[in-house]
Amino acid sequence: MFRNQYDTDVTTWSPAGRLFQVEYDMEAVKQGSAAIGLRSKTHAVLACVNKANSELSSHQRKIFKVDDHIGVAIAGLTADGRVLSRYMRSECINYGYTYESPLPVGRLVVQLADKAQVCTQRSWKRPYGVGLLVAGLDESGAHLYYNCPSGNYFEYQAFAIGSRSQAAKTYLERKFESFLESSRDDLIKDALFAIRETLQGEKLTSTVCTVAVVGVGEAFNILDQATVQALINEFEISGEQAPATASVAEEAAGDAAADQGGAAAEEEAAPMDI
Amino acid sequence: MTKEHANWSPYDNNGGTCVAIAGADYCVIAADTRMSTGYSILTRDYSKICKLADKSFMASSGFQADVKALQKVLSSRHLIYQHQHNKQMSCPAMAQLLSNTLYYKRFFPYYAFNVLGGLDSEGKGCVFTYDAVGSYERVGYSAQGSGATLITPFLDNQLKSPSPLLLPAKDAVTPLSEAEAVDLVKTCFASATERDIYTGDSVEIIILNANGVRHESEQLRKD
């Protein structure tokens, strides 16, 4: 994509029928650090990479609780993401006030998309520079949506956005068919695996990632660092062990999800085979 | 020349009584469960108590439609607070919010007589009592509603220090133990039920302390 005479305004079409400003906006999302989401019938997990600018500063928050049944992970301009989260929270509160029931995720996502579309059709505005992975629960189970800055939205089984998300997407594409029936813990494990893929060899610790879960009987909550680190240790996926060692260690772990642990041991060998 | 008066009022009084007592490390909030209109009973089983935050419970008598609306507004505001501050509102903070919310409708008030009970940030019991437009004060105990005039003198007798001159200034908390306070509340309601027609059926009691929340219920006269 090169600079051309049709990209000054968001309200200018190119002869090929493209809105360059909107496309440039999508690039902003790709610059942000990775965020991934995946879901089963009953749970949805969001995970993101938290990279601080320097050792002195704190991490930027990329996962927001919107309501007990909805959470969002963002990639791109975090400020835009914060503002949109505030909008989503406000919509949920108002809907709950009026109808005494939780706002269905599908509705919220459409409202978000319409809000984003407005910014692509006003000469005095610019599109929101943030992609949102919206994870939520409604009567039909758990859902994951991706909201583009363009105003498009799609429902996904699993998705990854942000920088180096292709690595995570490749992993998710291989595994996604098993997600629907996955247990909560397996889902979280897969999320951590996917995050590790985006780190490209860097060590996965709970200081560089954030994980959040929402599910049937579980309100949206961000897992605390200790829990995440324990899960990472349990699954032994800091990326240093050889496949064989990892499987043995996994079976020896003897955690509560013993059955899933046994089945997972085989799955675990797979990613390291690449 | 007499002024023409409305033949319709936006308000109704659904009766009932609310009481709250603050202790050194607990708070008791109680309200009867009778809802009436005029001389009729609408239901014997209606809760006037609402949990606004982990450590704040509000009991309100008066016009229950306004009470319901007030509860919803405060709950929503609390959600916003949690999103912005990542923590629950403290009881004194909720007390101020309630006052502001009531005064906001100074010229079309919520017909609600409220008593807010909870634990402050030190874990001590706190009770705040209000009028319909938001004037409030932190006190050691309070009663509001149709039976308040019967209960308040009794609580004064049992809980108020004999004279502010004799003893050094005390905290606004009662020296009673939690069990004694709960018993006192039951006695209050039993007495008020005898003479106030709008109070009765049963009393719902909430006890808040460091260990969490407890519910108790006691049957009252149904006549």
Side-chain angles (χ1 to χ4, degrees), chain A residues 61 65-67 86 89 93 96-100, chain B residues 68-70 72-73 76-77 79-80 83-84 86:
Chain A
R61 277 221 293 158
K65 174 169 173 168
V66 166
D67 203 345
R86 192 158 56 229
R89 286 167 173 172
I93 290 175
Y97 182 96
T98 310
Y99 299 102
E100 296 270 342
Chain B
K68 186 59 133 200
L70 180 62
K72 287 176 73 150
V73 166
S76 297
R77 288 298 302 274
L79 258 183
I80 297 173
H83 281 142
Q84 291 177 342
N86 233 16

Side-chain angles (χ1 to χ4, degrees), chain A residues 35-38 133 144 146 156-161 169 172:
Chain A
I36 66 123
L38 29 68
L133 282 171
L144 175 71
Y146 172 54
Y156 284 95
Q157 197 61 47
F159 200 50
I161 56 175
K169 263 189 254 182
L172 293 170

Side-chain angles (χ1 to χ4, degrees), chain B residues 57-201:
Chain B
F57 283 78
M58 178 175 77
S60 322
S61 77
F63 181 38
Q64 289 303 320
D66 274 358
V67 167
K68 186 59 133 200
L70 180 62
Q71 289 170 350
K72 287 176 73 150
V73 166
L74 291 170
S75 296
S76 297
R77 288 298 302 274
H78 187 229
L79 258 183
I80 297 173
Y81 182 96
Q82 284 178 86
H83 281 142
Q84 291 177 342
H85 298 84
N86 233 16
K87 62 170 187 164
Q88 296 266 323
M89 261 176 110
S90 67
C91 198
M94 185 58 81
Q96 186 65 55
L97 178 64
L98 172 54
S99 171
N100 293 145
T101 308
L102 290 169
Y103 196 80
Y104 197 73
K105 276 179 48 84
R106 170 67 178 83
F107 300 110
F108 184 11
Y110 288 107
Y111 195 103
F113 299 100
N114 310 294
V115 135
L116 183 72
L119 300 173
D120 65 16
S121 30
E122 295 165 13
K124 282 201 263 189
C126 57
V127 169
F128 299 89
T129 191
Y130 295 79
D131 72 358
V133 284
S135 164
Y136 82 109
E137 186 191 0
R138 180 169 179 177
V139 288
Y141 59 90
S142 176
Q144 291 279 358
S146 55
T149 47
L150 297 164
I151 293 178
T152 308
F154 176 56
L155 288 178
D156 285 340
N157 173 269
Q158 296 291 309
L159 300 176
K160 203 171 188 178
S161 56
S163 164
L165 300 173
L166 280 179
L167 301 163
K170 273 191 181 163
D171 277 325
V173 293
T174 169
L176 290 188
S177 76
E178 188 184 297
E180 287 173 325
V182 172
D183 224 50
L184 182 63
V185 160
K186 292 178 182 172
T187 311
C188 284
F189 274 91
S191 304
T193 304
E194 291 294 310
R195 295 288 178 168
D196 176 26
I197 60 173
Y198 299 109
T199 303
D201 292 329

Side-chain angles (χ1 to χ4, degrees), chain A residues 120-251:
Chain A
T120 67
Q121 214 175 7
R122 304 281 185 272
S123 59
W124 62 89
K125 287 187 176 236
R126 65 154 177 85
Y128 289 103
V130 63
L132 300 115
L133 282 171
V134 183
L137 214 57
D138 68 17
E139 287 161 351
S140 53
H143 298 274
L144 175 71
Y145 293 91
Y146 172 54
N147 276 75
C148 274
S150 61
N152 274 332
Y153 70 96
F154 306 95
E155 183 167 3
Y156 284 95
Q157 197 61 47
F159 200 50
I161 56 175
S163 73
R164 296 189 280 196
S165 58
Q166 189 49 53
K169 263 189 254 182
T170 313
Y171 173 79
L172 293 170
E173 269 165 32
R174 275 202 342 259
K175 301 288 302 298
F176 80 93
E177 266 146 352
S178 67
F179 289 163
L180 215 46
E181 302 299 331
S182 269
S183 73
R184 172 192 184 274
D185 292 340
D186 275 350
L187 222 53
I188 296 177
K189 184 199 71 176
D190 278 316
L192 287 167
F193 264 126
I195 285 288
R196 195 188 55 154
E197 297 296 313
T198 70
L199 292 174
Q200 307 277 19
E202 219 182 293
K203 191 172 159 74
L204 175 67
T205 65
S206 60
T207 50
V208 299
C209 69
T210 309
V211 182
V213 195
V214 64
V216 175
E218 183 178 1
F220 184 88
N221 65 101
I222 299 178
L223 303 182
D224 67 276
Q225 260 200 6
T227 314
V228 177
Q229 189 58 52
L231 287 165
I232 294 175
N233 295 339
E234 209 177 271
F235 302 137
E236 309 238 340
I237 52 176
S238 357
E240 288 160 351
Q241 282 81 4
T245 326
S247 313
V248 168
E250 173 67 11
E251 276 151 357

Side-chain angles (χ1 to χ4, degrees), chain A residues 22-84:
Chain A
V22 176
E23 294 184 23
Y24 294 165
D25 197 39
M26 313 275 252
E27 287 298 310
V29 176
K30 295 183 195 162
Q31 301 303 326
S33 54
I36 66 123
L38 29 68
R39 64 122 172 157
S40 70
K41 272 213 201 95
T42 55
H43 287 80
V45 175
L46 293 172
C48 68
V49 170
N50 280 342
K51 283 297 187 58
N53 282 335
S54 80
E55 276 176 32
L56 297 168
S57 77
S58 60
H59 302 138
Q60 275 202 317
R61 277 221 293 158
K62 282 162 51 80
I63 298 188
F64 299 91
K65 174 169 173 168
V66 166
D67 203 345
D68 280 343
H69 66 297
I70 302 180
V72 63
I74 61 171
L77 266 50
T78 357
D80 284 3
R82 210 178 53 239
V83 159
L84 285 175

